[in-house]
Amino acid sequence: MSGKIVKVSGPLVVAEGLEDANIADVVRVGTQRLIGEVLTMTGGSAAIQVYEETSGLGPGADVVTTGMQLSVELGPGLLENIYDGIQRPLTEVRELTGETIARGVDVPALNRSRLWEFTATAEVGTEVTGGTILGTVQETSAILHKIMVPPNTAGTLASLASGTYTVEDAIGTVKTASGETVNLTMLQKWPVRVSRPYSKKFMPHAPLNSGQRIIDTLFPLAKGGTAAVPGPFGSGKTVVQHQLAKWSDVDIVVYIGCGERGNEMTDVLMEFPELKDPKSGEPLMKRTVLIANTSDMPVAAREASIYTGITIAEYFRDMGYDVAVIADSTSRWAEALREMSGRLEEMPGEEGYPAYLSSRLAQFYERAGSVECIGGDKRRGTLTAIGAVSPPGGDTSEPVSQATMRIVKVFWGLDSSLAYARHFPAINWLNSYSLYLDTLKPFYDDTFGTRFLENRARAMSILQEESNLQEIVKLVGADALSPTDRLTLETARIIREDFLQQNAFDELDSYSSYEKQLELLSLVLQYSEVCADAIAKGVTKVDALFAVGARESMGRAKSALPEVFRETYAEIARDMKYQIEEIAAGGNEI
């Protein structure tokens, strides 16, 4: 069915004569067959969001409906790939059109000629439902791709055979209850704006180990949880997200560059093939899907990109994997919403954003979770959603930040003053929070005993006390404080500089295991206890306590080798205790 354009306003096109079209249908616009999606319908008039540059389009051009919703292709070949916001594979597009994407280019998301070795695991004659695992494909050396029955298919498995197939070849057949025979392939299509089904949703119970000490120890994120990383320009949002993508203990990462600069996506493309996954030892690209919709690409496609990314993530979650979706940034996505809302002449909300901004954000984040997958075998998968927010000037009172904070349960607030002081990750420990601490307490207590959360509570208390004491220091100076208060300031400085601060470019410091984090913080707190005992015994010249040799060793402790860090920390603790007790024995005669 086709209609005619009557109005073109940037990425918005209005067409008449599309009475049988539906909202969310994909259409082809003009002679170049530009990709668009129907946003609203009024009688036979359709408002269409075009995902490509519309210059040259004018009234009278044809608009043809496809009768399908905007969907993604799911199957072997997703991993190690880089797509644009509407899932066009950029490597293949470049081979066709050169360095710039030509308008109207139509390339399938999954390679139709590539052969995959399929190993059947399901038995012919058994009853299968949506989500039943039919077999496996070794997609990369790191990930075993599980081929599943599409969610809306059920019946008796009539045939299935191992072999070498393309994604479109039939690997078997299902006979439905109505007697119809349905061919099964390794390729599925799923509409991006509809979440994939699951059997049951659970409260997240295990933390996501990111290897970043301020995140894992102070403000943990649960697998299947939601988090936001807001901060002004230059505060390190992208660095934090790159670290999460590199080191998080998830099986698969879907990284969405939504409206960010192209050089940031280039960094990911250059680094990930070189970096080794700490769990498997394989290159990180072996378990990564990239969605690149950079700032110089059409604005409207940003709106689709996060849905494209999270639908791909749900597909891998349905296999029983732990998946992380990292969106950089949702502010750019919200700007695309604002532009389309303005061109549709809708009633604006605060700062011109549409009134439905909060509900659209919620629709994205609520697709995260820890679930029991459909398919009948009780397998579990998790999808963790992490979104960067780029408030103008770092003002988190603006609508996107506020709407996000009402939805997510972890808030890592970045601070430009920390970034300018070269303190990375520049997460402000006084403004950030995690609402998963109670949920994760059983995990920490079972794995590490009560020590992990007790250390965290003490460290947070010391950092809060330091904030209060800084006000006094500004008025009267540090020398006017009591020895105990000066010890609090020194301990807080050690926590900040030697524990929370982390060098992403140092091979030994870029990633820190839970055990190493626990022992390092315990060492810092032990130093505080031993110094407090010395002060209780009458030592008033606390500068001597702060100048012991073990204090310098503690500053280098975070770079201890992973194999020997326990022995290193134990040696520092022995030296520290001996040196401080020696000072305490001499009283103030030092």
Side-chain angles (χ1 to χ4, degrees):
M1 179 181 168
S2 65
K4 298 288 186 183
I5 292 176
V6 295
K7 175 185 174 183
V8 178
S9 175
L12 177 70
V13 167
V14 179
E16 299 280 3
L18 298 174
E19 287 82 359
D20 292 339
N22 297 307
I23 291 176
D25 276 1
V26 173
V27 297
R28 291 290 184 166
V29 180
T31 55
Q32 291 180 304
R33 294 180 57 79
L34 307 182
I35 300 172
E37 182 184 13
V38 177
L39 292 180
T40 62
M41 294 288 299
T42 308
S45 176
I48 297 162
Q49 178 173 240
V50 180
Y51 292 125
E52 301 182 70
E53 177 60 48
T54 58
S55 59
L57 273 182
D62 289 334
V63 176
V64 181
T65 64
T66 63
M68 294 174 56
Q69 294 186 44
L70 184 66
S71 302
V72 289
E73 294 186 348
L74 304 168
L78 288 169
L79 295 173
E80 297 186 274
N81 223 324
I82 177 166
Y83 295 104
D84 71 355
I86 47 178
Q87 213 202 6
R88 291 182 297 189
L90 294 179
T91 305
E92 283 85 345
V93 169
R94 183 178 64 179
E95 290 171 1
L96 280 177
T97 68
E99 296 298 322
T100 56
I101 302 175
R103 294 194 293 171
V105 64
D106 189 11
V107 181
L110 297 179
N111 191 318
R112 296 298 196 262
S113 59
R114 184 172 177 180
L115 294 171
W116 298 96
E117 189 67 36
F118 170 73
T119 304
T121 57
E123 293 184 12
V124 174
T126 57
E127 293 295 315
V128 295
T129 61
T132 300
I133 294 175
L134 298 169
T136 59
V137 169
Q138 191 69 50
E139 182 173 354
T140 69
S141 52
I143 298 297
L144 187 68
H145 194 115
K146 299 170 186 176
I147 306 301
M148 301 171 289
V149 176
N152 49 7
T153 302
T156 304
L157 188 61
S159 65
L160 186 70
S162 300
T164 304
Y165 302 98
T166 68
V167 291
E168 289 184 309
D169 290 339
I171 58 173
T173 57
V174 166
K175 193 167 187 178
T176 65
S178 62
E180 181 188 359
T181 299
V182 178
N183 283 336
L184 296 171
T185 68
M186 292 190 283
L187 173 67
Q188 293 187 24
K189 290 189 177 182
W190 191 263
V192 299
R193 299 187 189 279
V194 179
S195 59
R196 285 176 66 90
Y198 51 82
S199 296
K200 197 184 297 181
K201 203 165 193 175
F202 305 99
M203 281 292 289
H205 67 280
L208 183 85
N209 180 205
S210 67
Q212 310 308 298
R213 291 185 288 269
I214 189 168
I215 291 174
D216 293 342
T217 299
L218 297 191
F219 310 111
L221 170 62
K223 284 183 181 176
T226 53
V229 192
F233 175 78
S235 59
K237 292 185 295 297
T238 302
V239 173
V240 169
Q241 292 203 306
H242 282 198
Q243 288 295 93
L244 290 168
K246 290 173 191 173
W247 307 125
S248 294
D249 65 336
V250 293
D251 300 303
I252 288 155
V253 173
V254 180
Y255 190 96
I256 308 166
C258 178
E260 291 301 304
R261 290 169 293 282
N263 62 313
E264 294 174 359
M265 291 306 298
T266 305
D267 286 344
V268 176
L269 276 173
M270 297 298 287
E271 280 186 40
F272 278 29
E274 303 292 330
L275 290 166
K276 295 289 187 288
D277 185 342
K279 284 200 305 177
S280 66
E282 297 288 342
L284 286 170
M285 275 304 290
K286 299 287 184 186
R287 61 178 180 91
T288 304
V289 183
L290 297 178
I291 312 291
N293 192 247
T294 54
S295 52
D296 62 342
M297 290 180 174
V299 171
R302 295 179 193 173
E303 202 268 332
S305 61
I306 67 165
Y307 294 109
T308 298
I310 204 159
T311 306
I312 292 171
E314 285 177 330
Y315 173 67
F316 284 110
R317 177 209 66 190
D318 291 348
M319 299 179 196
Y321 287 126
D322 295 321
V323 188
V325 170
I326 297 176
D328 187 12
S329 82
T330 54
S331 292
R332 305 283 175 263
W333 169 79
E335 285 169 7
L337 278 183
R338 179 167 62 182
E339 174 163 346
M340 293 310 301
S341 176
R343 293 184 185 277
L344 286 167
E345 299 177 3
E346 295 172 336
M347 182 68 73
E350 189 180 355
E351 293 190 21
Y353 288 102
Y356 46 78
L357 172 66
S358 293
S359 64
R360 289 287 181 86
L361 276 168
Q363 285 168 13
F364 169 69
Y365 283 110
E366 73 183 4
R367 290 170 74 168
S370 175
V371 304
E372 180 182 299
C373 309
I374 59 173
D377 60 354
K378 303 290 185 183
R379 65 184 181 274
R380 287 196 183 189
T382 65
L383 198 166
T384 308
I386 304 160
V389 186
S390 309
D395 178 17
T396 53
S397 65
E398 57 89 38
V400 181
S401 300
Q402 289 298 306
T404 304
M405 288 165 66
R406 285 194 291 270
I407 298 161
V408 301
K409 291 195 171 184
V410 176
F411 180 83
W412 297 317
L414 297 177
D415 192 327
S416 56
S417 62
L418 288 173
Y420 296 150
R422 298 293 184 267
H423 178 112
F424 291 103
I427 296 172
N428 188 311
W429 46 89
L430 299 176
N431 298 340
S432 304
Y433 60 81
S434 171
L435 302 181
Y436 288 116
L437 286 168
D438 291 339
T439 308
L440 298 175
K441 187 177 187 300
F443 173 89
Y444 290 128
D445 290 348
D446 291 346
T447 310
F448 307 110
T450 58
R451 196 158 59 114
F452 192 92
L453 288 180
E454 286 172 357
N455 282 0
R456 179 201 178 273
R458 287 181 60 197
M460 287 299 297
S461 175
I462 289 168
L463 291 169
Q464 185 63 57
E465 284 181 47
E466 181 204 30
S467 177
N468 298 334
L469 289 172
Q470 288 292 357
E471 300 299 319
I472 300 172
V473 170
K474 288 175 185 175
L475 292 172
V476 297
D479 293 338
L481 297 177
S482 67
T484 302
D485 286 343
R486 290 186 64 191
L487 174 60
T488 299
L489 288 179
E490 180 66 14
T491 306
R493 187 167 75 89
I494 297 171
I495 292 172
R496 286 189 287 104
E497 296 179 1
D498 300 334
F499 183 76
L500 299 183
Q501 192 171 349
Q502 205 162 341
N503 187 349
F505 299 101
D506 184 323
E507 187 178 344
L508 293 172
D509 195 31
S510 183
Y511 173 85
S512 190
S513 66
Y514 270 121
E515 292 78 10
K516 190 173 181 181
Q517 295 181 41
L518 174 62
E519 297 303 331
L520 180 56
L521 187 55
S522 295
L523 180 64
V524 175
L525 296 174
Q526 186 181 350
Y527 170 78
S528 177
E529 289 172 5
V530 176
C531 286
D533 287 344
I535 291 170
K537 290 176 182 176
V539 175
T540 56
K541 295 183 179 179
V542 292
D543 287 341
L545 300 176
F546 303 158
V548 295
R551 168 67 187 88
E552 186 178 339
S553 301
M554 200 186 308
R556 296 193 296 267
K558 59 186 175 184
S559 295
L561 290 168
E563 310 82 50
V564 296
F565 72 86
R566 285 187 178 85
E567 294 83 351
T568 304
Y569 294 173
E571 184 180 349
I572 294 172
R574 285 193 300 271
D575 292 347
M576 172 184 70
K577 191 172 182 183
Y578 172 78
Q579 292 164 8
I580 292 175
E581 284 177 351
E582 195 173 29
I583 293 172
N588 288 317
E589 296 176 6
I590 47 177

